[in-house]
Every structure is written in structure tokens, then in C-alpha cells.
Amino acid sequence: AVPRRPAGAAGARIGAGAGSCAHPELLRAEVWDVVRSYAPSFLYVVVMFNFVIQMQFITMEKERKVRDAMKQMGMRPLAHWLAWFVVAVLTNVAVSIVVTLTGLALGMDLFAENAFGLYFVLFLLMTSAMTLFGFALTTLIQTQDAARTLAIMWYILTFIAVPIVSS
């Protein structure tokens, strides 16, 4: 804005300064920590997304009769499960590394206060446990849609039950 000069005035003077706000000082304990509130939920989503995708792919092969074709070629079921296990372990290692490095890169207290190997092993064990649970469930499921539905229902059930049980 351009200030107007009254008639006969030599010039206008504009001054700038800083003052205190009208609110009291916030204490560190009163500040809401978004990461502390929502990080466990997001980390759990990452692990469970891996579980849902792996279950869906295994049942997709079941729908397409890949195991039956392998059996007709003379291969044993061990080859099918071993191939899936190797793929799952490689995927789980990649997910665990990415999640742990992302937590460190973002400077999350949870990751910065502890060793890299601790959280890497934690996520690797969790993803491996869910993968093996998914392997067991896919022996009971026939379709890809049923696998996806069951995996998502398991996620929702555990997402609701874990905070209740752990408190």
C-alpha cells in the first residue's frame, strides 16, 4: 500500500517490528507428535500389503493351474513352493530395507534411536511370518478374489484387535 501524504507533511514513515503473540508458550510435552501417533499404523500397512499381494499371486497361479502343469511335466510340488519362497524372501528383504532406510532418512525417532539391524530384522521376521501364514492359507483358497478378500479381512481384524490386546 502506498501511504498518502497530508498536505504540508515532509514524508511518510513506515516502521516494522516484531511482537509477541497473544498465546502462551507451548511446552514440548503438549505438542502432538504425528509420527508417534500414526507411524505404527502405516508400517503395519506396508507389511500387510506385502501379505495381500503374495497371497493373491499364489492363488492366481492356482487358478491358472500352473502347479498342475508342473506336475504333468514331472516336477514336484517342492519346486513350486521353493520358487515362491525364494521370491517371497527377496521381496521381504527389499521391503524391510526400504522401510528401515525410509524411516532413517525421514529422521523418525523410532529408527534413529535404535540400530539399523534391529528394525531390519524385525520387519524381515514380520514379513516372513506373514508370508508363511499366507502360504498356509492359500492351500485352502481356490480363487484370487477369495484370497484378496481373506487377506484384507485378516488385515482389518488384526488392525482393530492388536491395539485392544496390547493395551
Side-chain angles (χ1 to χ4, degrees):
V2 177
R4 285 194 236 164
R5 276 197 288 186
R13 182 173 290 241
I14 299 174
S20 62
C21 288
H23 65 78
E25 289 287 325
L26 292 175
L27 300 175
R28 179 72 178 141
E30 293 177 7
V31 176
W32 179 50
D33 189 4
V34 175
V35 174
R36 188 172 300 276
S37 298
Y38 293 114
S41 300
F42 283 114
L43 295 174
Y44 189 66
V45 167
V46 169
V47 171
M48 291 306 289
F49 181 74
N50 194 19
F51 168 70
V52 172
I53 295 300
Q54 287 175 355
M55 273 190 65
Q56 186 175 347
F57 282 147
I58 292 172
T59 52
M60 180 179 65
E61 280 193 357
K62 193 177 200 179
E63 277 184 349
R64 294 180 179 175
K65 309 277 188 214
V66 172
R67 276 195 293 178
D68 294 337
M70 290 172 65
K71 192 183 291 184
Q72 289 175 357
M73 291 187 309
M75 297 178 78
R76 297 192 175 156
L78 178 66
H80 176 262
W81 289 111
L82 190 60
W84 265 112
F85 182 74
V86 168
V87 168
V89 166
L90 292 176
T91 303
N92 293 342
V93 166
V95 166
S96 300
I97 288 173
V98 167
V99 168
T100 308
L101 288 178
T102 302
L104 284 171
L106 294 176
M108 299 169 99
D109 291 339
L110 179 74
F111 292 94
E113 294 173 357
N114 296 302
F116 171 83
L118 178 71
Y119 282 110
F120 171 73
V121 170
L122 174 74
F123 285 117
L124 184 62
L125 289 175
M126 178 63 184
T127 54
S128 297
M130 292 310 298
T131 296
L132 295 175
F133 181 60
F135 283 1
L137 287 179
T138 56
T139 60
L140 307 172
I141 300 169
Q142 300 300 319
T143 64
Q144 193 175 351
D145 292 335
R148 186 182 324 112
T149 303
L150 180 66
I152 291 173
M153 292 304 290
W154 178 258
Y155 161 71
I156 292 170
L157 177 72
T158 56
F159 189 78
I160 293 170
V162 167
I164 294 170
V165 172
S166 65
S167 63

